[in-house]
Every structure is written in structure tokens, then in C-alpha cells.
Amino acid sequence: YAGAHDPSLARKTMQTIRRESQHALADMRRLLGVLTHPEHYDYADIDKLITQANAASASTTITRIISGNPDPDSLSTAATIALYRAVQEALTNIRKYAGSHVLVRIREAWSPAGVSVSISDDGKGTGSVSSQHVPGYGLIGMRQRLDAVNGTLTAGP
């Protein structure tokens, strides 16, 4: 309609559409760049994670025991990220629910078949009802991440 009746308005409208399309395209490229080259933590960062967790709570002691021959290069990038995130989520859950004066053991067993990680604590724990906690998606996310790299998760009190 504007093109037939007001060429000047049509030109301005098309320039606005072009400018907004260019902005949208730039935003999309920026988003895709973040998704394709995200900054991530992986297996190599687990020691730093443990150091940070130990520093965050003076009453919690975290030890890591590794058996077998660690071979993180045999794992996919996605698997090393999933492993890091699983340890991170477990430590977060311990911090939230185990109470104070807690000893945490991270046992990592390497074999030609892969790696098995067990994270346990001697905390007293608190129930979701008693702590007024609304359950989130931490365990669901861990399970999904590990499933995606052919891993499994077993969790419990």
C-alpha cells in the first residue's frame, strides 16, 4: 500500500526492516557463537572445584581417591564435561543437605571400560520437607547429562 501511495514511506519502512533484520542477524550470530564455543569446565577442573568447595566450608573436608590409570583423553569432551557437572552437583547437594562437619569422599575408579565415580558423605542430611526445600532439577540434569554420554547415575540418601 505504501509503495503505491507513498514511495517515501515505503522506502523508510524497508530501511527500518533492513536495519532491524541486520540487528536480529547479529544477535543470532552472537548467540550461536556462545553455543558453539561455550566456556566450559571439564575433568581437568575437578581438582579446582574440590579446592573451592573445601575453601567455601571450613567444616567440610573433601578427599579424592583415584584408582587405576586415569585416562580422560579416552573420554569424549561431552563425557568429561558431564563428569565435572555431576561432581559439581553432588558437592552442591552435600553443601545444602549434609549438615556441618562432613567428610566427603570422591572415589574415582578407572578401567579400560571407562570411569566410575562414587561420591559419598557422612553427613546427617536433612529432608526436603524439614528444610522447606522445593526440589529442583539437579539430579534430573545430572542423569540426563550422563545418559547423553552413555553413563548412568545412582543417587540416594
Side-chain angles (χ1 to χ4, degrees), residues 124-156:
K124 61 184 173 202
T126 59
S128 294
V129 174
S130 65
S131 68
Q132 302 298 315
H133 173 71
V134 177
Y137 296 100
L139 290 175
I140 294 169
M142 273 199 297
R143 180 167 281 114
Q144 290 173 343
R145 274 195 177 97
L146 292 168
D147 284 348
V149 295
N150 298 316
T152 58
L153 172 73
T154 304

Side-chain angles (χ1 to χ4, degrees), residues 27-100:
D27 289 345
M28 186 60 72
R29 283 185 179 141
R30 203 169 22 256
L31 174 64
L32 291 174
V34 167
L35 294 176
T36 58
H37 301 292
E39 205 174 305
H40 65 267
Y41 297 99
D42 60 17
Y43 177 82
D45 300 299
I46 291 175
D47 278 335
K48 285 185 249 177
L49 176 65
I50 293 169
T51 299
Q52 290 170 349
N54 270 324
S57 176
S59 70
T60 299
T61 302
I62 304 167
T63 59
R64 183 180 183 192
I65 302 159
I66 301 173
S67 63
N69 295 315
D71 187 15
D73 292 336
S74 68
L75 303 175
S76 68
T77 300
T80 67
I81 294 169
L83 184 56
Y84 174 90
R85 293 294 183 198
V87 172
Q88 181 183 45
E89 181 64 26
L91 292 176
T92 298
N93 287 344
I94 290 166
R95 181 179 48 80
K96 286 181 179 178
Y97 306 116
S100 59

